Amino acid sequence: MGNQVCTGGKSEASKQYAIMDPETDRIFSFRLRSTHGKDLKTKELIIEALVNGTWEKQEASFAMPGFRQYLVSLVVCQHFYLIANAKEREIPVQEVEGEVTITTGKDWIMKQFAGTFTLGLDPAVSAANATPDALKYCQERMALCPVSKNLPAGTHKKITVCVKGEE
């Protein structure tokens, strides 16, 4: 999985790669926002999908199309692994904002996953542990999410983890 550590909020999720065919590919856009307590337990996680030009909150239900459930599970799994590993590295995450773009071919087989996750750190706690090496560790571990590990062979994957406000 291609990874990049960055600072600031520069999004990789919206970049289009050469593998895309605008005539036949399907593009799915998601965004997420989460807040976390001092123990990094998730207080709130909101995931939205861009549906017909409008951002719609996603909540699992029998009415949600099955493929969208699969894509949402991929976004949730990435978030879970990000927070679990930030906790392991003692990175004081207070909030996360994420953008994810998933591209499939006309046959619905995934071709590309691109996600940018921007961490807002707790200002009351030292951010000394939010080093480039620690962020790199988190994004490498995100690739171990079971949903990610089961993506089709050849899927182009790019995860970027940023710290808000460091430009």
Side-chain angles (χ1 to χ4, degrees), residues 19-39:
I19 61 171
M20 294 185 57
D21 181 349
E23 298 292 319
T24 60
D25 286 350
R26 294 177 166 92
I27 299 171
F28 301 89
S29 297
F30 294 91
R31 64 184 182 190
L32 71 84
R33 290 182 312 280
S34 64
T35 56
H36 306 274
K38 298 241 183 259
D39 57 2

Side-chain angles (χ1 to χ4, degrees), residues 17 25 40 49 53 62 64 69 82 97 107-108 121 130 139 156:
Y17 296 91
D25 286 350
L40 287 190
F62 291 116
M64 180 185 283
Q69 289 182 23
L82 172 61
E97 293 179 2
D107 58 1
W108 295 90
L121 304 180
Q139 57 191 38
H156 179 81

